[in-house]
Amino acid sequence: MLAALAVALRTGRHRGVDTAWGLAFTAVALTGYGLSAGYGDDGRRLLATALTTLWGLRLSAHIARRARGTGEDPRYARMLARKPPGRARTLYAVRMVHLLQAGLVWFVSLPVQAAQYLPGAPGPLAWAGTAVWAVGLFFEAVGDLQLSRFKADPANRGRVMDRGLWAWTRHPNYFGDACVWWGLFLLAADAPIGWAFVGSPLLMTWLLAFGSGKPMLERQMGSDKPGWAEYAARTSGFVPLPPRRRTVR
């Protein structure tokens, strides 16, 4: 996150913090793996570290490819426009973009950190969590791939993506992200102390479904994309569900 801040101050663009997001979780997992040696069960330590690292690297690589050759993220542009250019805007960006996300990385990753110190071998909840994580990664990765291919076709310019996983949920990537963090939480929930960190996946899910994820994106889509209202009317907002049939009058 400090590296992303340094780049942002040099270039004037803060969207690099999104690429740093997954890398920051990877750094937390790898650091925790090293520090927990001799304390936690080796199998659980390796499992928690590998799952977090795989998710984080894939996400960062995807966001970096998507952002290549683009300007500032519209979300950050609107946020920073509240402050006049100069020192006030820079300090506001440091506080509300970079430091805030650094704090979120620490809090959301608490179940991973806790799992790395648990002494017992992974039990049923941990393996169930691995399955939930796999479902989440599938929705996130496949949803991102489907959307990238859809946007790459000039014939789809200006159209709403409503195919594949996107026919079942308006945000397969956000739903997948939530599942990933509930799965990682279950790695720690094998032990009673692990339940103390349930706030981490709860916060991540709230951010995705009700905070800075889905609502902000849908406000933008509703104003920019013809056909969005019809798509939203027939497609689940978050949890994948069969598309609703159009009412015939």
Side-chain angles (χ1 to χ4, degrees):
M1 287 300 177
L2 288 175
L5 173 59
V7 172
L9 294 178
R10 183 177 180 84
T11 63
R13 293 189 304 166
H14 297 273
R15 72 178 309 153
V17 73
D18 294 336
T19 301
W21 176 254
L23 295 177
F25 282 104
T26 299
V28 169
L30 293 175
T31 301
Y33 182 77
L35 294 176
S36 62
Y39 295 94
D41 174 75
D42 287 343
R44 191 191 302 270
R45 288 173 55 239
L46 182 59
L47 182 62
T49 304
L51 297 186
T52 306
T53 299
L54 179 59
W55 168 82
L57 293 179
R58 189 216 70 85
L59 179 63
S60 288
H62 169 72
I63 292 177
R65 286 193 300 268
R66 187 180 64 186
R68 189 181 303 142
T70 62
E72 180 65 283
D73 189 302
R75 296 172 302 161
Y76 298 137
R78 286 192 295 269
M79 179 190 299
L80 299 179
R82 302 169 186 169
K83 299 291 182 179
R87 181 180 176 85
R89 180 175 294 182
T90 298
L91 292 177
Y92 184 72
V94 170
R95 184 174 71 254
M96 297 303 297
V97 177
H98 299 272
L99 292 182
L100 177 60
Q101 294 206 40
L104 287 173
V105 168
W106 172 80
F107 183 79
V108 172
S109 67
L110 284 175
V112 175
Q113 300 176 55
Q116 292 172 327
Y117 283 88
L118 293 181
L125 272 181
W127 294 118
T130 303
V132 172
W133 174 92
V135 170
L137 189 68
F138 170 82
F139 269 86
E140 192 171 352
V142 173
D144 285 340
L145 179 61
Q146 290 175 342
L147 182 60
S148 296
R149 290 179 173 176
F150 180 83
K151 288 183 173 181
D153 186 348
N156 295 324
R157 189 179 302 277
R159 297 177 58 191
V160 174
M161 170 56 161
D162 59 356
R163 308 170 187 174
L165 296 179
W166 298 83
W168 290 70
T169 167
R170 302 199 294 272
H171 302 280
N173 47 354
Y174 289 167
F175 171 76
D177 211 358
C179 287
V180 162
W181 284 100
W182 279 105
L184 291 171
F185 161 72
L186 290 175
L187 295 184
D190 262 348
I193 187 63
W195 288 90
F197 305 106
V198 69
S200 297
L202 282 173
L203 175 61
M204 179 62 100
T205 304
W206 183 87
L207 288 171
L208 292 167
F210 305 105
S212 59
K214 174 178 175 287
M216 291 182 65
L217 181 59
E218 293 201 343
R219 282 195 294 271
Q220 178 183 343
M221 295 292 288
S223 61
D224 293 347
K225 293 286 186 180
W228 171 260
E230 293 79 6
Y231 170 67
R234 66 177 182 269
T235 309
S236 173
F238 196 75
V239 177
L241 294 171
R244 290 184 283 271
R245 296 181 179 180
R246 297 177 181 176
T247 302
V248 178
R249 296 182 179 179

